[in-house]
Amino acid sequence: MSLHQIFVLLLISLLIIELPAYGLYKMFQKAGIPAWKALVPFYNTWTMLQESQKPKWWFFAQFIPVAGWFFSILILIEFVKCFGKYAFYQHVATAFFAVFYFVYIGANKKDRYIGPAPVKLYKKSVAREWIDAAVFAIVAATLIRIFVFEAYTIPTPSMEKTLLVDDFLFVSKSAYGPRIPNTPLAMPFMHHTMPGFNVKSYVEWIHIPYTRWFASPVKRNDVVVFNFPVNDTLINDEENFGSKVTYYEEVRKEGRDKVWQDYGDIIITRPVDKRENFIKRCVAIAGDSLQIKNSVVYINGEPQPVFPQSERYYTITVPASLNTNLARDDNESDEAYYHRRLKVIGDALAPFGIHTRVEQEDIRPDMAPNTFLVNITNEERANLKLPAGYTIQSYFMDEGQALFPYYSDTSHHWQVDNYGTLWIPKKGVTIPLTPDNLIRYQRCIEVYEGNKLENNNGHISINGVPATEYTFKMDYYWMMGDNRHNSLDSRFWGFVPEDHVVGKASLIWFSVGEGGPRWKRLFNSIK
């Protein structure tokens, strides 16, 4: 645990007992306790324990990381009982809104201190015991999910082999500071949709602006979970669209009017905290200049180290003697032919530690009969020793039509493996509003930072005021998958604003593959 995370946990502990301090001051006066004791951190909880005649070890339990928060809340609840507050809603108010509720009790002339004796005579019903236990469990899990960590599952191979499909992760919420939910009114333990009902699991009656307690910036090369930025508007059909083909991608291809004509009844919007969760590696932080040359990432002009388990495509040419097994059958499909070819090369390369992987989109039927496309890790490539007659070459993808920031002119022919240069926006930095900068940063200005930008024949105004420059309000990050040729990442949809950052992937707590649990991956830290 880093010093920043320890600092965050300690400050949350202090907030739990100090935010209600003003109300406690008035309540202590009513109870005949020296009021100044309510203002001293932890001395106030010690005093409440004495007054409510509860076990003194509860005081020391407050200093246990995370679990201590619940003991502090329990002490507050036991103390409020000494004012005759036994009802369920009164305890909920104490747990969640003590900063206001205690002021009410302290100022209300009807509420008086009755001491611990009547509390001992009060008995809860069995139903109330179960309700209290359930609510306590929900509160505990919610606080842990918001402030400490949350469990996630890897659904796609975009981070292979650093992370595998069906790795189960703990994601630290305190690494960058806990982010307060934008939509606090939601079903517990559900992200954006109620399973089985296909309806929202949240309501937006209350919307909290972006708030992050004790913020710490994302570091370069961290593995980060974040809300998918271009998922603010989506075609709500996960099978064909959702996060696979974004609303904006479909609009660029078909035109806005055609998209709304075809899908208008299933186009929805989502607040930041309810957008789909993605996991990638942060390869560039705010203020960096990024360029990719022949698949090598350069930051501020310096080539960046490659991670041993990150994957990319190579072409391997095998000896001509293997071609006798590769004659194409009559009426054989491209896919079937390619899979048969892949098995031949797979069998041939298995002794050298190469395990090929193919998916529908990886099929290249136009390649030479004795040349194969393989997706291998940097570690496998570094250790590879092929015999005579075998050759291996880097494969560079020339995709460029659908890459951010979607230049329409041919002078910017950016590709998956040859991309940029692109500057990553940084909070407080001012840029001129040139035509090129508008193409790159207009979405940041309008959508992520909530401004109204108008461009009238080169005359730009922001929120109705003429503007020639803009100062960013947030930091931004550039995310890429370790499986560089099989990753829907920032190269395709752009920057990740700081308010979309969920947490840092820190630990694999379980992993399962086709053959059962992957025991060697359990409790591995994520690098």
Side-chain angles (χ1 to χ4, degrees), residues 331-521:
N331 301 320
E332 186 176 24
S333 69
D334 289 341
E335 181 178 356
Y337 178 52
Y338 188 82
H339 275 273
R340 190 159 58 85
R341 291 167 57 198
L342 189 77
K343 185 178 187 307
V344 172
I345 189 64
D347 293 343
L349 296 179
F352 313 116
I354 294 181
H355 303 284
T356 57
R357 182 181 65 83
V358 64
E359 294 180 357
Q360 180 68 35
E361 63 267 24
D362 299 335
I363 295 171
R364 304 289 190 273
D366 57 328
M367 298 181 73
N370 63 331
T371 300
F372 296 84
L373 195 65
V374 295
N375 199 23
I376 61 176
T377 68
N378 288 310
E379 186 176 52
E380 288 173 327
R381 176 66 184 92
N383 295 328
L384 183 63
K385 293 181 174 60
L386 291 175
Y390 290 77
T391 60
I392 182 168
Q393 290 183 317
S394 295
Y395 178 84
F396 301 114
M397 298 183 73
D398 59 2
E399 247 180 279
Q401 295 181 349
L403 295 183
F404 177 86
Y406 319 113
Y407 283 109
S408 58
D409 62 279
T410 56
S411 62
H412 294 87
H413 187 58
W414 293 5
Q415 301 171 357
V416 166
D417 288 316
N418 288 280
Y419 187 95
T421 302
L422 182 69
W423 178 76
I424 314 301
K426 183 177 177 64
K427 182 178 181 179
V429 173
T430 301
I431 61 168
L433 294 177
T434 63
D436 191 47
N437 278 347
L438 281 179
I439 292 174
R440 300 180 183 207
Y441 306 115
Q442 185 167 348
R443 181 171 174 85
C444 297
I445 297 170
E446 285 189 307
V447 179
Y448 301 144
E449 302 200 353
N451 299 289
K452 182 180 180 182
L453 187 150
E454 294 179 294
N455 186 357
N456 186 13
N457 295 323
H459 299 284
I460 299 168
S461 65
I462 296 178
N463 300 322
V465 179
T468 58
E469 59 185 23
Y470 181 77
T471 302
F472 289 101
K473 303 173 186 175
M474 288 193 292
D475 285 334
Y476 292 79
Y477 302 99
W478 192 262
M479 307 290 183
M480 291 173 61
D482 283 1
N483 190 354
R484 292 292 162 82
H485 288 148
N486 288 284
S487 174
L488 177 65
D489 55 35
S490 286
R491 293 170 294 182
F492 295 88
W493 39 257
F495 308 108
V496 175
E498 66 175 69
D499 67 339
H500 284 59
V501 172
V502 174
K504 180 181 178 180
S506 56
L507 182 74
I508 300 171
W509 63 272
F510 189 66
S511 182
V512 62
E514 292 182 1
R518 305 181 185 114
W519 299 109
K520 291 183 179 180
R521 298 186 64 78

Side-chain angles (χ1 to χ4, degrees), residues 32-104:
I33 306 168
W36 62 268
K37 293 183 178 182
L39 307 178
V40 182
F42 295 109
Y43 188 42
N44 53 11
T45 54
W46 176 261
T47 303
M48 284 186 276
L49 277 176
Q50 288 181 315
E51 290 298 319
S52 57
Q53 298 180 5
K54 292 300 176 182
K56 299 299 187 292
W57 65 266
W58 289 10
F59 173 81
F60 300 101
Q62 292 178 102
F63 300 98
I64 301 172
V66 183
W69 303 345
F70 307 111
F71 280 96
S72 295
I73 293 171
L74 183 60
I75 292 170
L76 294 176
I77 290 174
E78 291 301 326
F79 184 64
V80 85
K81 288 180 182 178
C82 294
F83 286 79
K85 306 298 183 183
Y86 305 125
F88 173 73
Y89 75 90
Q90 292 168 333
H91 294 175
V92 170
T94 300
F96 289 101
F97 309 108
V99 62
F100 307 111
Y101 186 51
F102 283 10
V103 171
Y104 169 79

Side-chain angles (χ1 to χ4, degrees), residues 46-347:
W46 176 261
T47 303
M48 284 186 276
L49 277 176
Q50 288 181 315
E51 290 298 319
S52 57
Q53 298 180 5
K54 292 300 176 182
K56 299 299 187 292
W57 65 266
W58 289 10
F59 173 81
F60 300 101
Q62 292 178 102
F63 300 98
I64 301 172
V66 183
W69 303 345
F70 307 111
F71 280 96
S72 295
I73 293 171
L74 183 60
I75 292 170
L76 294 176
I77 290 174
E78 291 301 326
F79 184 64
V80 85
K81 288 180 182 178
C82 294
F83 286 79
K85 306 298 183 183
Y86 305 125
F88 173 73
Y89 75 90
Q90 292 168 333
H91 294 175
V92 170
T94 300
F96 289 101
F97 309 108
V99 62
F100 307 111
Y101 186 51
F102 283 10
V103 171
Y104 169 79
I105 295 174
N108 186 0
K109 294 181 178 179
K110 295 181 179 179
D111 289 325
R112 60 186 183 85
Y113 180 74
I114 62 174
V119 177
K120 295 177 181 179
L121 300 176
Y122 175 76
K123 298 295 181 182
K124 295 181 184 178
S125 66
V126 174
R128 175 65 187 279
E129 292 280 3
W130 278 100
I131 291 172
D132 283 358
V135 170
F136 180 81
I138 292 171
V139 170
T142 301
L143 288 176
I144 290 172
R145 289 183 70 205
I146 293 173
F147 294 106
V148 188
F149 67 83
E150 188 171 357
Y152 288 87
T153 307
I154 299 298
T156 69
S158 69
M159 283 296 292
E160 289 187 345
K161 295 284 193 304
T162 304
L163 298 172
L164 303 181
V165 173
D166 290 331
D167 276 350
F168 294 79
L169 315 179
F170 282 144
V171 175
S172 170
K173 299 295 188 71
S174 58
Y176 310 126
R179 183 185 63 171
I180 306 305
N182 303 117
T183 51
L185 299 180
M187 288 295 293
F189 318 123
M190 295 182 188
H191 187 38
H192 52 62
T193 304
M194 295 276 286
F197 296 96
N198 197 29
V199 296
K200 291 181 179 180
S201 63
Y202 61 94
V203 294
E204 297 184 72
W205 302 337
I206 299 176
H207 185 89
I208 300 175
Y210 170 55
T211 305
R212 190 182 298 275
W213 289 1
F214 325 121
S216 178
V218 175
K219 296 179 178 60
R220 196 181 296 124
N221 293 324
D222 281 357
V223 178
V224 181
V225 172
F226 56 93
N227 297 118
F228 189 28
V230 292
N231 214 203
D232 56 336
T233 304
L234 71 152
I235 302 172
N236 193 25
D237 173 7
E238 284 296 335
E239 183 176 350
N240 299 301
F241 294 98
S243 300
K244 300 174 185 176
V245 178
T246 69
Y247 162 81
Y248 298 102
E249 185 179 347
E250 194 69 6
V251 166
R252 285 191 297 272
K253 185 172 66 175
E254 299 291 343
R256 187 180 185 280
D257 291 343
K258 179 71 163 57
V259 170
W260 276 89
Q261 177 183 332
D262 292 345
Y263 308 109
D265 57 336
I266 58 171
I267 293 175
I268 64 172
T269 61
R270 284 179 180 156
V272 170
D273 62 328
K274 297 303 180 184
R275 294 169 194 170
E276 210 67 54
N277 291 317
F278 269 36
I279 183 167
K280 308 288 179 187
R281 190 179 298 278
C282 176
V283 300
I285 61 175
D288 283 345
S289 289
L290 171 137
Q291 187 177 19
I292 304 172
K293 294 189 289 187
N294 292 334
S295 79
V296 177
V297 174
Y298 288 75
I299 300 297
N300 304 322
E302 296 293 327
Q304 299 301 294
V306 295
F307 291 87
Q309 295 303 309
S310 62
E311 286 185 324
R312 66 179 311 276
Y313 280 139
Y314 295 85
T315 57
I316 291 185
T317 302
V318 303
S321 60
L322 289 178
N323 287 352
T324 56
N325 297 322
L326 297 175
R328 185 159 184 164
D329 296 335
D330 293 339
N331 301 320
E332 186 176 24
S333 69
D334 289 341
E335 181 178 356
Y337 178 52
Y338 188 82
H339 275 273
R340 190 159 58 85
R341 291 167 57 198
L342 189 77
K343 185 178 187 307
V344 172
I345 189 64
D347 293 343

